[in-house]
Amino acid sequence: MKSCLIVDDSKVIRMVAKKILQDLEFETAEAADGQIALDACKVGMPDAVLLDWNMPVMSGIEFLREMRALPGGDKPVVVFCTTENDIEHIQEAIEAGANEYIMKPFDSEIIQAKFTQVGLL
């Protein structure tokens, strides 16, 4: 079973994403900010990360750069899931190592399509 780390400061978003991902047969873990997520990655890298941009303590983009620098940090497929939809944010995310980008709000079909596109499904 593949694993996905859901990183978002919104408990509701994490809950919705968790339900969708578990229906797609992913093992899920959650983190409320980038620092918690980074600590989790140091213990064990997930197969995928569903990542919010705007969070307290450490933002999604800071987490992404730090995670990519860790041993094995090049392995997880990272899908940004955020309200930041301007070209500058998308470009910055891709340059930092994101594999894909989806907008909030999202649904099961959107996540399934993106995860299929990046080879997770």
Side-chain angles (χ1 to χ4, degrees):
M1 188 180 268
K2 289 190 175 170
S3 60
C4 183
L5 178 60
I6 303 161
V7 189
D8 200 300
D9 56 332
S10 165
K11 190 173 172 58
V12 173
I13 296 284
R14 291 197 313 268
M15 211 168 62
V16 170
K18 180 179 181 172
K19 168 87 176 89
I20 291 169
L21 290 163
Q22 286 177 342
D23 287 348
L24 296 172
E25 297 184 358
F26 274 84
E27 196 177 288
T28 59
E30 298 176 39
D33 65 54
Q35 186 59 59
I36 295 167
L38 193 62
D39 293 344
C41 287
K42 288 175 183 172
V43 174
M45 284 292 171
D47 296 305
V49 179
L50 190 63
L51 183 62
D52 184 25
W53 192 293
N54 299 306
M55 294 178 289
V57 186
M58 180 187 280
S59 71
I61 197 79
E62 290 168 322
F63 159 78
L64 179 58
R65 290 189 178 113
E66 299 247 351
M67 184 203 69
R68 289 295 191 214
L70 292 174
D74 57 333
K75 301 274 185 287
V77 174
V78 176
V79 178
F80 254 108
C81 179
T82 181
T83 55
E84 299 295 348
N85 63 355
D86 56 276
I87 193 72
E88 289 82 17
H89 277 93
I90 296 170
Q91 216 166 1
E92 187 179 354
I94 300 301
E95 284 168 8
N99 300 83
E100 257 312 328
Y101 209 93
I102 55 181
M103 298 294 134
K104 287 181 184 172
F106 58 85
D107 60 20
S108 181
E109 282 177 24
I110 293 168
I111 288 189
Q112 204 167 346
K114 285 294 179 186
F115 275 45
T116 300
Q117 200 177 328
V118 294
L120 287 165
L121 291 173

